[in-house]
Structure formats: C-alpha cells, structure tokens
Amino acid sequence: MEQRNQVLDNVIIKFAGDSGDGMQLTGTQFTNTAALFGNDLSTFPDFPAEIRAPQGTIPGVSGYQLHFGSVNIFTPGDECDVLVAMNAAALKANMRHLKKGGTIIANSDGFDHKNLRLANYTDGANPIVDGTLDSYHLITIDVTKMTRAALAESTLGIKEIDRAKNMFVLGFLYWMYNRNMDFTFKFLTEKFSKKQDILDANLKVLQAGYNYGDTTETATTRFTVNPAQMPPGVYRNIMGNQAAAIGLVAASQKSGLELFYGTYPITPATDILHELAKYKNFGVKTFQAEDEIAAICATIGASFGGKLAVTASSGPGIALKAEAMGLALMLELPLVIINVQRGGPSTGLPTKTEQSDLFQALYGRNGEAPIPVIASMSPADCFHAVYEACRLAIEFMTPVIFLSDGFLANGSEPWRFPKADDLTPITTKFATEKNDGERYLPYKRDEKLARPWALPGTAGLEHRIGGLEKQHETGNISYDPENHEFMVKMRAAKVARIADFTPPQKLDSGNEKGKLLILGWGSTYGPIKGAVRDAREKGYDVSHAQVRYMNPLPKNLGEILYSFDQVLIPEMNTGQLLSIIRDKYMIPAIGLNKVKGMPFSSSEILVKIEELQKK
Amino acid sequence: METTTQNPESPKFTSKDLVTDQEVRWCPGCGDYSILKQVQTVVPELGIPRENIVFISGIGCSSRFPYYMETYGMHSIHGRATAVASGLKASRPDLSVWIVTGDGDSMSIGGNHFIHLLRRNFNVNILLFNNEIYGLTKGQYSPTSEEGKVTKSTPMGSIDHPFNPFALAMGAEGSFIARSMDRDPVHLKEMLRRTNSHQGTSFLEIYQNCNVFNDGAFEIFTEKSSKKEEAIFVENGMPLIYGQDGTKGIKLDGFHPKIVDLTVEGNSANDLWIHDESDRVKAGILSRFFDRHEKGVDHLPRPFGVFYKEDRKCYEEAMNDQVVEAIAKKGAGNLDKLLQGREIWEIH
Ligand code: SF4
C-alpha cells in the first residue's frame, strides 16, 4: 500500500501507561525532539497520585500530554489526537480525553486477561478486538513481542529487555511524525555511557520501532508538522519548577547575594529543591529543614544575615508558615515565599493543580499583614516572576509571595531565554553607617518606605528586631496606641507603594475598549489566550488581560476594567480574584470557575465567551 | 577542640557597652537578672568583636533577653529561635550566635527544632532558662514541671510526666551538654565560657528561679542548708564527690551509681567514678540523676557542670565544604550557561 504524507498544523499526543512503562521519558524525548525541530509546544504530565499504585490498575496510570505545532501553541491541549495506551488501564483512564475519530496506538500485550480485569473491563470485553473502538483509528502492536524479538540475541535478562518497550513506541512515533532520532540517540548514549549492553538494547529497539512503521502496513499515513513561526532567537525547553529554580539563581547572581533556600519536601514544590541542590557551584545553599516552620524560620535567619533567602512549599505547608511570614513582615526583611499551589483544602489533591491559595496568600495571616504577591503565567514565566519577586523583596525590604501551581510547575514550553546581562538589575544596599547622628535607626525609611538592612558584623549598627510592635524609626518595642495604628498603616502604605515601581497592566490581546474583557491570573494564561484568539477569529469583540502583580494590583487596572461592558474572570477556584475585583472596583464581574484539579481547556472558555456575547 | 574567635584589632568593650537603652522589665527578684549580669560579664572576655555577636530568642520571659544586650539581636516567635539561628549560622558562619530560650519555648512549642539543632551540630550556644513554669502567660505548668504540679491550668495537679532535658539532649545527639544555675554566679560564668568555647551546638541548661509563679523550685540546690547534699559539681578528671565537707562520693557498680560514705573506713576517693566528659555511656547515666522529689536510699544529688562533650563536624562547615567542592569540580557557576541549559535551537 502506498504511504501518504499529510501536513498538520498541530498535534496532541497523550502518552499513557503504567507508572513503570517509562511514559514520562518517552514524552519528554518526543518533546525535546519536537522543540529542537522548531515546533512550538506545551506539555503537561499527569502523574498518578500514589507513588506505587498497583500495576495495571487505573490509579497506576501515568500520562504525559504533548501539544506541538507549526502554529502558536498556548496549552497542552484539550482532547488528544493520538493516545498511546500501553495497557488497558491507560486506555480506560484516557478515552474521554481522546478526540472523536482520533488515533489509538495500543500495546496488545497490555490487553491480556489480567490487564483487562485490573482495568475493570467486564468479563469477555476487550476494546482492542471487540469492535468498541471502531469509530477510532486503532493501531494495535504487540510491543512486548516486538521488543523481545528485536533483542533476541541480547544477553540481557527478560526484565531488562521488557524495560526497553517504550523505545519501540517512541521509534514508531518518530517514524509516524517524520522525526529525526538524533536527540534521543545522543540522550541514550549519555545516559547509558557506562552500560553498553543496555545502551545497545535501547538503540536497537528504538530503531526497530522506526523500521516497524516503515516496513509494515500498520499505518498508511505519515505526518509532517512544520516548524512554527516564533520570534527569532535562541530557544530551550523549560518546565515551571526548573524555571523558578534558575530564576532564583539568576536573582542571586544579579543581586550579589548568596542564595539560601530553606524548605521541606512537599508535592509539587520539591523539584525546585532538587534543581537548586545541583547549583552549589553558584554558592547556593539548600537547607532541608525538619519541618515547614523551621524552613521559613531558617530563611528568616539567613535574611537577617544578608542573604537572598527563599522558602517554598505548597498550600498545606504555607499554612504552617503563616506565623513566620508575619514575623518576616514585622522584621521587614527580604524573603521570597514560593507556593506551588495544588488542590486543597487540607492534604487535598497533591498531584493536581488549582488556584485556590490566592486568598491564603493575600490574607492568610493574623493581624493586618500585607505581603506583595506575584503570580506566574506560564512555565517559562516562572523564571521572570520569581526573579521579580526577589527584586521586590530586596529593594523594598519585605517578604514577597510567588504563586505558581502544579500545572505550571510540571508543564513545559519553549523559552527564548534571556542573556544574563539583559536581566533587570537588582539593587542591594546594606547600611554601613549610622543614620541619625550618633544613632542607628533600624526603621528609618527611604523613598520606597523601605528600612535599611544592617547586617550583623557591621560595627556600630548593633540593633534588635522582633515580632512585637515597634516604635516608628527606632524599632523599640512600643505599645502606644497611636504608634500601632501608624505602623499598621505604614506597613500597608509600603506595600501599596510598590505599584509605583512596577509596570502597568497591559492587555495581552484585543482592543482597549469593548464588550468583553477576560481577566485572568496565573496559569489560566495559556487557555485564555487560546480561547480569545479563536473567539476573535470568529469575530467576537473580546480582549484579554492577565494579572501578574496580585498585590498590589497595577494602578491602571481599574481604568482597564471600566473600559469594558463585561468582565469575565476564569479561575481554577470558586471565584477568589472575582471577589477581590468586585470588592475593589465595584463592578459586576462574572466568574468562570473550575475546581477539578485540572486546568481549563480553551474550548471551555470559548463556550463561555460565546454564551456571553450571544445574549 | 576548644577555641575562641579572637580578633585582636577589634576595639575592646566592657560589660557596660552591652547594656542597651531599654528598661529591663523582668519582675523584681527574677533569676533572669543574674543570668543577664553574668552573660554581660563574660561576653566581653571572649575576644569576639561585639558586632559579630547575635542573640536570638523565641517567646517567653527569658526571650526578652536580646533587647537588653547591645549586640545584634532578634526576638523571634514562639519556639523558633533555634530554627532562625540555624539559618543565620548556616549562612553566616563568621557570627557568634547565641540562642536564649525557656523550657516552654524550647521543650514544648519548639521541641522539634531543638532536637534537630542538636543533631545537626551548628556551632551555636543555647542558653535554656529552665524555671519549670510558664511565666509570661502567668503560671501554667511547663514540660519540665513535676507531675502533680498545681497551677492555674492544673488545679488538681499536672498529669504530664516531665522531660528530662539532658536525656532528651543526649538522645538528640547533642555534642555539648552542661548545667548551671542563676544563684551561682561563679559557676555560671565558668559554664558560659565553656559553652562558648565548644565548637558545635553547646547546650547550657540554667536553673532559673521564677519568684512569682514557681518560687523556690530549685531551692534545694541553691540554699546553703541543702545544697551540699542535693547538688554535685562535676569536673573533668575529678571524682564525683559531694556532701557536707566532701564526705560523700559516687561510684559505679556496673551501670548503677552507688553512693559511698567516705567517712567509713575502707571507702576511698580512689574507687569513685572519675568524671570523663567524653564518655557517652557515663554521660547517659549522669543525665539520669534526676530524682529530686523522691528521697530514699538511692537518692542521688543533681549534677551541675559539663556532662558531655564531643567533637563533631559542625553543620555550617560541612555545608560550606560542599559549596567549595562543587566549585572546585564544576568551576564557579556561569549564569549564561545555566540560562541556556543543555539543548537549544535557533529560530531565524
Ligand atoms: S514571671 Fe517569673 S520568669 Fe517571668 S519575669 Fe517574672 S519572675 Fe521572671
């Protein structure tokens, strides 16, 4: 049969299998190959909630979704075009995410009696043979058998041979999408540089998968997805947590302050620790504390000592840090607190994403305790947003909260990374002299209302700070009622003043005035952007703004909001920014809320846009 | 290894230079006054520049301490001084870091940080003012109060079994464990010097009288009438002798301490337990001399002095070593290379 070649502008592939099937690796290999080829892309892994859920069961399914294209890609995609199902459970768990008529690549060995039973198929049912998938394009391959055959002469044990299965699938997909396998060759060669037999096996199986596509008539069509039109420049692929880690190192280098990272392991923030622990040659000190409270308190100590001090956690851990965050704000010391949000409340959904900690970030402390909050919009933006958080913390002498979420943390996208020289400078000033004649006043403020940072070791500036209310300028303990009210207002004014030094809110797309504004924050950026593009192509009057500075809000935000008839706020919570906007700007903003541990799809937002505009 | 950080060029300062302009607000007669005075006396002798000294406290009566010391200081939050000090010392090994805490602050709300500080062995000093009561909140039992203690929160007597702080510190791998008391300035000053000179986490428990809510808790160790019989001062290399005119001694019968009457013929100081600060097993037994309230045949005196001392690498040093090693292996970090990562592509 003749093979056809079809050009597509974007494709969504979901790699799904048992935790042990190596789907994350397969996905990232395909991703990096696509990235190096010049496709725009966005990815999102879908980890099982349990570390070692029973093999073959639905809770044990691990997935990785890749959306790549020759057009601009904003999200990992809604429904997939291709579903790779290594076993029956992977198929069952992901069928609802597959497009009507989409392609299924099924490993028939994963559909034996045992696997079918574990995936809760009724007795006798087998979707890959009983015709239930007739409306899809089903490609069935006995991957296990093919892998074993390819390695018939290998000296490896059967367990190790079977472990190479994912390479067969990867090779087949590389064939299907006309990809060059150099990146994976190189990767495997480095990874198994000391295990020649395993390297040989992997390379052989990868090639076998590719050849299988070429020589059999399993699939009759190959696809080409051309490079995307992206702004010229040099790109890399990056995940959110990785970007945050690099952003912290960059802020450390640009501020001239050593990075001290005190944290306690928690999903999904821990990868930032793993990443930073590799960068000790940048002078980075990582401290895995005994608990969340110790983690933040140790960073407060480091900040007092003059370091760029950062702590990170997720919602439950941030709750534990609340008292110490209050201390940091009383001490007026620079500190960055990272919250990689996950599904809550309580332990909630550790591996799922949510934006439900906005209120916690803004209000989750005793007393009047304002802290600036910055939210990242995309995986790569985690770099820029955390860098900005560090800059504000240092220049304004305040703790700053950086909000990311599970979707950003584990998602990836191409990044036109900056040059070190092009990064915004961060000005670090240490007090070296007395600032009031013969006295040193630790709470005397500058034009930004920031107090001076005098480090232990500086002769003549010995002073005491603490969590008790302090007298204006002297910092001495004060119970004076007038002073207390003054200081409460002063701390609020200091945070509010940051808005004078941060960029105004910009529109991401659309007209400056009009019928509908979609106002988003955080990781809803991609889905909203995609929806707004589609809506505008259909002729709808809709604009998009994505807020990054959650506190203080940009000074011109009101002006923008008042320029539209309607404001729609999509959030992965029950309406937290919505309440804030309604309260602060007194407009009847409309919420679009999703609390399913899953990001929005662009189509969900598009449906809402159409509904609002048709009225 | 015992050293003091000496900077010969640093201007000398006196006790008076350590007094701040803040009015000391402890209750009249509180044991804290004496401790403050001894600390202010000893610190100028240590040869550490004043600006390199930091006092960090948590919450409680004792935690007001930093406000009264003209050094760098932080009055942090309840139980967390140990954690704050860990981060400070980790990032600034050059500083002399002192933690001032109480029995509630370090054994109750901050118990977790206390034990982890000891095992990590940062080179810091912990002064635990143990008054066996909650003073600041006006008199509730603490984790070191004895069973049956009647307080406002325990009108029928406390049912909590108390901590033995030394057994806890031994279990937490403490590298220096010592005890003194507010009413013995000479001994306290000596213990403060030893506390400072130990390289590692130095834990000094100071019995402190809260004359308002727990007056006389340590009277038997401090009053002339009972001190000789109830307290024993241990010194490295010296036999365990106490009692009126040094007439009693302690010897070891296997792992069991036995009181020996030295006035009885045949009993000699030569057979007594010789204190060895580096002996972990004996320190463990010594930490169990803790039976104040049941007087009986085997009633043992409460030991004061340095119980245990061990040289172990300090955390901040090991942490720095890794940074140095990483730089030696990989070269100092290059930000542009980090930004670029491993795989890049160009779009024209
Ligand atoms: S309450 Fe007790 S410990 Fe506190 S200051 Fe008064 S006497 Fe001292």
Side-chain angles (χ1 to χ4, degrees):
Chain A
M1 205 188 293
E2 193 194 334
Q3 284 176 347
R4 291 188 306 128
N5 192 4
Q6 192 182 340
V7 177
L8 298 174
D9 66 5
N10 77 102
V11 175
I12 299 165
I13 306 178
K14 175 97 183 224
F15 301 85
D18 202 68
S19 302
D21 285 338
M23 287 298 98
Q24 301 298 329
L25 180 85
T26 313
T28 46
Q29 284 300 305
F30 198 97
T31 299
N32 287 335
T33 298
L36 289 175
F37 180 69
N39 294 128
D40 194 2
L41 58 86
S42 171
T43 72
F44 188 58
D46 180 8
F47 302 118
E50 265 78 39
I51 301 291
R52 291 271 176 268
Q55 240 187 346
T57 62
I58 289 175
V61 174
S62 167
Y64 184 96
Q65 185 156 320
L66 163 66
H67 187 187
F68 67 109
S70 57
V71 293
N72 286 333
I73 303 295
F74 304 126
T75 70
D78 305 351
E79 294 180 314
C80 54
D81 302 292
V82 180
L83 170 63
V84 175
M86 294 301 281
N87 64 15
L91 183 86
K92 191 156 200 187
N94 287 287
M95 268 317 285
R96 63 195 177 104
H97 303 304
L98 181 63
K99 267 182 201 155
K100 288 272 157 299
T103 300
I104 298 165
I105 300 173
N107 168 26
S108 58
D109 184 52
F111 288 80
D112 60 11
H113 183 71
K114 187 177 165 205
N115 273 292
L116 288 164
R117 189 173 41 80
L118 286 168
N120 297 328
Y121 279 98
T122 47
D123 249 356
N126 183 354
I128 61 168
V129 295
D130 63 14
T132 48
L133 300 176
D134 277 355
S135 57
Y136 297 89
H137 177 213
L138 177 66
I139 301 174
T140 311
I141 308 174
D142 189 337
V143 179
T144 310
K145 193 171 134 200
M146 300 309 297
T147 303
R148 288 181 187 174
L151 297 179
E153 272 141 48
S154 169
T155 51
L156 291 176
I158 200 77
K159 255 194 173 161
E160 276 162 318
I161 287 178
D162 284 353
R163 215 173 277 152
K165 301 201 288 254
N166 58 336
M167 287 298 122
F168 191 90
V169 176
L170 184 60
F172 182 71
L173 283 164
Y174 279 154
W175 173 81
M176 215 169 135
Y177 289 95
N178 271 310
R179 296 288 148 155
N180 177 311
M181 303 203 286
D182 285 355
F183 176 81
T184 300
F185 285 155
K186 202 174 132 210
F187 168 84
L188 291 171
T189 310
E190 276 174 28
K191 183 168 179 189
F192 298 117
S193 64
K194 291 195 186 95
K195 294 174 188 153
Q196 192 62 40
D197 46 350
I198 297 186
L199 171 64
D200 290 345
N202 274 283
L203 293 175
K204 212 165 188 181
V205 175
L206 181 70
Q207 193 65 54
Y210 192 95
N211 295 346
Y212 183 84
D214 224 5
T215 52
T216 65
E217 294 175 354
T218 315
T220 50
T221 312
R222 295 178 81 181
F223 304 94
T224 299
V225 180
N226 288 315
Q229 289 289 323
M230 300 210 280
V234 185
Y235 287 78
R236 65 175 287 184
N237 196 45
I238 197 151
M239 287 169 64
N241 272 347
Q242 205 182 10
I246 293 174
L248 294 175
V249 176
S252 157
Q253 296 277 308
K254 296 294 279 190
S255 64
L257 302 177
E258 276 168 17
L259 176 63
F260 182 89
Y261 187 78
T263 189
Y264 185 78
I266 184 170
T267 303
T270 318
D271 281 336
I272 304 177
L273 168 65
H274 297 165
E275 198 68 19
L276 285 172
K278 293 186 221 158
Y279 304 141
K280 292 192 162 74
N281 63 325
F282 284 85
V284 174
K285 286 181 176 170
T286 55
F287 179 60
Q288 183 178 313
E290 60 272 22
D291 62 28
E292 296 282 0
I293 298 171
I296 184 169
C297 287
T299 60
I300 291 173
S303 175
F304 187 52
K307 305 297 167 184
L308 172 56
V310 181
T311 187
S313 191
S314 189
I318 298 292
L320 286 166
K321 293 180 196 294
E323 187 197 12
M325 284 161 69
L327 175 67
L329 106 100
M330 278 301 257
L331 300 179
E332 301 193 35
L333 281 172
L335 191 73
V336 172
I337 302 124
I338 298 176
N339 180 357
V340 185
Q341 299 166 93
R342 65 190 214 185
S346 186
T347 311
L349 300 169
T351 57
K352 302 292 172 191
T353 195
E354 210 161 279
Q355 292 183 298
S356 47
D357 297 344
L358 179 61
F359 280 168
Q360 183 193 37
L362 293 169
Y363 312 123
R365 291 164 293 282
N366 61 306
E368 298 280 346
I371 291 183
V373 180
I374 296 180
S376 160
M377 312 193 301
S378 74
D381 187 49
C382 287
F383 173 90
H384 302 283
V386 86
Y387 184 89
E388 180 70 347
C390 294
R391 184 183 74 85
L392 295 183
I394 295 166
E395 294 183 358
F396 288 84
M397 292 292 286
T398 177
V400 175
I401 295 171
F402 163 68
L403 289 178
S404 173
D405 63 33
F407 181 39
L408 298 175
N410 295 313
S412 80
E413 66 178 347
W415 180 39
R416 193 158 53 124
F417 55 92
K419 285 214 165 51
D421 283 345
D422 298 339
L423 294 169
T424 318
I426 299 178
T427 320
T428 309
K429 277 189 302 195
F430 294 128
T432 51
E433 267 154 34
K434 297 197 165 74
N435 56 3
D436 185 56
E438 272 310 287
R439 291 195 302 173
Y440 170 64
L441 300 177
Y443 280 78
K444 191 169 170 172
R445 293 167 194 279
D446 66 10
E447 71 288 350
K448 290 174 172 163
L449 301 180
R451 74 176 193 88
W453 197 3
L455 307 190
T458 317
L461 304 190
E462 290 86 356
H463 65 281
R464 276 67 51 198
I465 54 178
L468 285 170
E469 183 60 284
K470 36 198 44 60
Q471 192 181 42
H472 179 46
E473 297 201 328
T474 67
N476 291 333
I477 301 171
S478 165
Y479 297 116
D480 175 53
E482 303 301 323
N483 177 75
H484 174 54
E485 189 165 301
F486 175 85
M487 290 299 278
V488 164
K489 288 180 176 164
M490 174 62 84
R491 287 185 286 264
K494 168 176 148 173
V495 170
R497 189 163 293 189
I498 291 175
D500 291 344
F501 297 85
T502 49
Q505 181 64 48
K506 281 189 307 209
L507 283 179
D508 192 75
S509 60
N511 304 325
E512 279 173 24
K513 274 181 184 336
K515 284 193 180 153
L516 177 63
L517 173 73
I518 317 275
L519 186 72
W521 71 275
S523 70
T524 55
Y525 176 68
I528 296 175
K529 196 174 171 76
V532 169
R533 178 193 57 188
D534 295 349
R536 292 180 60 78
E537 274 171 10
K538 289 185 174 184
Y540 290 109
D541 176 6
V542 51
S543 301
H544 172 205
Q546 195 77 7
V547 187
R548 242 167 139 231
Y549 295 90
M550 309 308 296
N551 187 37
L553 288 164
K555 288 168 98 177
N556 64 332
L557 185 61
E559 228 173 281
I560 293 177
L561 295 172
Y562 299 138
S563 306
F564 292 87
D565 299 344
Q566 281 186 311
V567 175
L568 174 69
I569 305 182
E571 291 178 271
M572 294 188 283
N573 59 39
T574 58
Q576 299 190 7
L577 180 62
L578 180 72
S579 299
I580 293 162
I581 295 294
R582 283 179 176 172
D583 171 42
K584 194 166 156 94
Y585 302 99
M586 313 275 260
I587 58 166
I590 303 154
L592 174 61
N593 305 94
K594 179 172 180 179
V595 211
K596 295 183 175 171
M598 300 273 291
F600 277 102
S601 66
S602 290
S603 56
E604 285 167 330
I605 297 169
L606 184 60
V607 166
K608 186 71 182 177
I609 294 173
E610 292 179 325
E611 178 198 313
L612 288 172
Q613 298 234 326
K614 272 179 190 148
K615 270 183 198 161
Chain B
M1 180 179 49
E2 296 203 4
T3 57
T4 40
T5 339
Q6 207 112 30
N7 180 352
E9 272 159 53
S10 121
K12 293 257 182 310
F13 61 97
T14 65
S15 303
K16 277 202 192 105
D17 299 317
L18 288 176
V19 177
T20 67
D21 59 359
Q22 300 296 295
E23 188 194 335
V24 183
R25 292 257 179 102
W26 289 309
C27 307
C30 174
D32 289 355
Y33 283 95
S34 159
I35 305 174
L36 176 63
K37 183 152 188 294
Q38 308 325 321
V39 172
Q40 286 177 333
T41 308
V42 167
V43 164
E45 301 169 1
L46 300 174
I48 309 166
R50 189 178 64 165
E51 63 271 19
N52 285 357
I53 300 168
V54 186
F55 275 82
I56 297 183
S57 64
I59 296 292
C61 291
S62 59
S63 288
R64 288 292 181 106
F65 201 90
Y67 290 116
Y68 309 139
M69 288 291 292
E70 189 59 51
T71 61
Y72 282 90
M74 188 195 292
H75 179 210
S76 78
I77 44 179
H78 208 5
R80 319 299 172 204
T82 30
V84 172
S86 299
L88 179 62
K89 188 68 187 181
S91 56
R92 291 288 306 275
D94 58 312
L95 300 174
S96 168
V97 179
W98 300 67
I99 296 157
V100 176
T101 182
D103 39 317
D105 196 56
S106 69
M107 306 263 127
S108 194
I109 193 167
N112 197 29
H113 314 308
F114 175 77
I115 56 176
H116 288 276
L117 179 76
L118 290 173
R119 88 177 155 87
R120 289 196 181 103
N121 201 36
F122 283 101
N123 185 16
V124 297
N125 307 320
I126 315 175
L127 310 182
L128 166 67
F129 295 18
N130 184 3
N131 55 16
E132 298 188 347
I133 197 79
Y134 283 3
L136 191 67
T137 49
K138 301 199 168 69
Q140 300 79 26
Y141 75 103
S142 90
T144 55
S145 300
E146 70 278 12
E147 263 177 62
K149 179 129 198 126
V150 174
T151 69
K152 282 182 199 151
S153 62
T154 51
M156 294 170 71
S158 161
I159 53 174
D160 278 31
H161 187 72
F163 263 134
N164 172 339
F166 276 30
L168 180 68
M170 289 296 297
E173 298 289 309
S175 72
F176 178 96
I177 300 171
R179 181 185 287 138
S180 191
M181 53 182 131
D182 55 0
R183 298 258 171 104
D184 191 336
V186 176
H187 187 258
L188 179 54
K189 277 187 280 199
E190 181 49 24
M191 287 302 106
L192 286 166
R193 287 183 202 106
R194 298 266 336 250
T195 294
N196 176 69
S197 63
H198 174 68
Q199 300 290 296
T201 302
S202 312
F203 170 46
L204 176 62
E205 182 189 29
I206 305 169
Y207 283 165
Q208 173 245 322
N209 191 39
C210 168
N211 57 311
V212 174
F213 296 110
N214 202 16
D215 197 21
F218 307 107
E219 218 165 33
I220 52 168
F221 310 126
T222 58
E223 292 315 299
K224 266 213 172 92
S225 53
S226 53
K227 186 174 180 173
K228 294 267 189 222
E229 292 293 323
E230 294 293 339
I232 179 167
F233 290 83
V234 297
E235 261 181 86
N236 204 27
M238 303 296 281
L240 264 58
I241 295 179
Y242 71 111
Q244 211 64 44
D245 306 319
T247 49
K248 286 183 177 170
I250 294 171
K251 71 172 188 187
L252 270 178
D253 177 8
F255 287 116
H256 300 283
K258 287 272 180 289
I259 295 169
V260 177
D261 185 347
L262 293 173
T263 58
V264 173
E265 204 162 339
N267 283 347
S268 145
N270 294 335
D271 304 329
L272 297 180
W273 168 343
I274 306 294
H275 183 49
D276 176 0
E277 291 170 357
S278 66
D279 190 325
R280 171 177 276 277
V281 176
K282 280 186 178 168
I285 301 169
L286 209 50
S287 74
R288 289 285 164 196
F289 287 26
F290 202 62
D291 59 347
R292 178 192 339 164
H293 297 281
E294 326 134 32
K295 299 203 176 179
V297 193
D298 289 315
H299 171 67
L300 294 162
R302 187 70 56 95
F304 292 83
V306 179
F307 278 47
Y308 183 63
K309 179 175 160 21
E310 142 194 345
D311 287 332
R312 196 167 82 222
K313 187 147 192 164
C314 299
Y315 189 97
E316 67 277 11
E317 223 180 294
M319 199 179 208
N320 253 345
D321 287 354
Q322 289 198 340
V323 170
V324 171
E325 192 189 326
I327 293 172
K329 268 194 191 150
K330 302 186 195 168
N334 175 312
L335 183 54
D336 275 310
K337 274 197 189 147
L338 178 67
L339 291 168
Q340 166 172 330
R342 285 160 61 104
E343 305 292 340
I344 55 165
W345 68 95
E346 190 163 2
I347 290 177
H348 299 281

